[in-house]
Amino acid sequence: MAQLIAGYGTSHTGMTIRKYDPAIPAQARVHAAFDRLREELEALAPDLIVMVSSEHLNSFFYDSYPQICVGLGNQSIGWGDAGVASRTVPIAGDFAAHVV
């Protein structure tokens, strides 16, 4: 049986930093907060993470914009926007299909 072990919510603040400068106090605080989140997730060691996010017209446009999209399959490739490198990450496609 599945067990929910944590829930987090973050803002888009981290995505507004195009080039990280640790000398800027506000940017250092944002990165410190995301570091704490990473440390907590590593300590919890979840089997999977369910992520709910918004779509900013990268994958869909107004002529075919779904109300909800669930990622199925074995992997997903990030867009690499907002100064974050594109990465391929595994996804729990079987779990996602069960949710659908």
Side-chain angles (χ1 to χ4, degrees), residues 12 15 18 53-66 69 76-84 86:
H12 282 87
M15 300 301 283
R18 298 291 186 206
S53 68
S54 59
E55 165 55 36
H56 292 121
L57 303 176
N58 286 335
S59 298
F60 304 103
F61 201 65
Y62 294 123
D63 59 348
S64 61
Y65 201 85
C69 174
S76 181
I77 302 171
W79 279 101
D81 56 354
V84 176
S86 177

Side-chain angles (χ1 to χ4, degrees), residues 17-29 31:
I17 300 171
R18 298 291 186 206
K19 185 174 181 183
Y20 177 48
D21 182 351
I24 299 173
Q27 290 187 11
R29 285 192 305 273
H31 274 255

Side-chain angles (χ1 to χ4, degrees), residues 15 38 42 51 74-91:
M15 300 301 283
R38 178 187 43 77
E42 286 175 349
M51 185 194 303
N74 296 318
Q75 66 182 13
S76 181
I77 302 171
W79 279 101
D81 56 354
V84 176
S86 177
R87 297 188 66 166
T88 300
V89 296
I91 61 173

